[in-house]
Amino acid sequence: MKKIEEIIMSLALLFVGVSLFLWADKVTNLVSIILGVIMLLYSGFLFISIRKNVQDNKGELTLAIILLIGGIVLLVKPEIIKETISFVIGIFILFSSISKLNVAINTSKTTKNKKGVYLSIIGIILGLLCLLGKLIIPDLVLKFVGFLVIVYSISNIINTVLLPKNNN
């Protein structure tokens, strides 16, 4: 079951990668607007809840203010998503590939098959490139990140199929 979950997650990442590669600007603007509206709505609900409930609500008030500010920022400056998405995806790919590398190294000792090791190393390199990619022009970076996510997703699907079942 773990392999199926891994393949489904990789297919979802493949979809994200293709979307970023083809429509980087539209995807990030849409995500920013959706998140901004959700944050503003949730902030409004919290403010209404706080007003009805007169108890000590400092934590909820703080959260409502943070959500309000965050929602406004996302609606006014949607580029902020572009600046952070490469970093977040890079961290995910890096940790996932390091985990796979450990399994691949242990497997390669007994089977002499090094494909899993090589694919995991490619994943680590792609993760690092995503992390460092935010230093370049955001739209170009997102297209590049989309391409890297596509390559990672395909290599991760192949790697998942090749590696033996992990019983963790």
Side-chain angles (χ1 to χ4, degrees):
M1 193 65 165
K2 180 88 170 148
K3 281 190 174 198
I4 292 172
E5 292 171 2
E6 188 79 23
I7 290 172
I8 290 171
M9 188 245 352
S10 293
L11 288 172
L13 270 177
L14 181 62
F15 175 75
V16 169
V18 169
S19 297
L20 281 174
F21 186 74
L22 296 177
W23 310 290
D25 193 41
K26 292 176 184 169
V27 169
T28 54
N29 284 341
L30 181 64
V31 168
S32 180
I33 290 168
I34 290 171
L35 286 176
V37 167
I38 290 171
M39 290 171 80
L40 287 175
L41 288 173
Y42 191 61
S43 172
F45 289 130
L46 282 175
F47 280 124
I48 291 169
S49 169
I50 291 168
R51 189 161 180 189
K52 286 182 179 178
N53 194 357
V54 217
Q55 299 173 1
D56 186 29
N57 293 324
K58 290 180 184 174
E60 285 185 4
L61 180 62
T62 304
L63 179 61
I65 291 170
I66 290 171
L67 288 172
L68 178 69
I69 292 169
I72 291 170
V73 167
L74 286 176
L75 290 175
V76 172
K77 191 175 184 323
E79 308 86 48
I80 201 157
I81 295 285
K82 292 179 191 178
E83 297 167 3
T84 59
I85 196 165
S86 174
F87 185 77
V88 172
I89 290 173
I91 287 178
F92 172 77
I93 291 174
L94 190 63
F95 284 135
S96 175
S97 296
I98 289 171
S99 172
K100 291 251 187 224
L101 180 62
N102 187 28
V103 173
I105 288 172
N106 291 335
T107 302
S108 71
K109 290 178 183 174
T110 58
T111 64
K112 304 292 182 204
N113 185 351
K114 303 278 188 209
K115 290 178 190 171
V117 173
Y118 299 138
L119 290 171
S120 297
I121 291 172
I122 288 171
I124 291 170
I125 292 169
L126 294 175
L128 289 172
L129 287 173
C130 283
L131 283 172
L132 299 175
K134 68 180 195 126
L135 302 174
I136 311 171
I137 303 165
D139 281 340
L140 182 61
V141 168
L142 286 178
K143 287 186 181 278
F144 184 64
V145 166
F147 175 74
L148 294 180
V149 170
I150 291 168
V151 172
Y152 167 75
S153 300
I154 292 169
S155 72
N156 195 42
I157 290 170
I158 295 168
N159 205 8
T160 300
V161 171
L162 289 178
L163 290 176
K165 187 175 180 181
N166 190 1
N167 292 327
N168 289 348

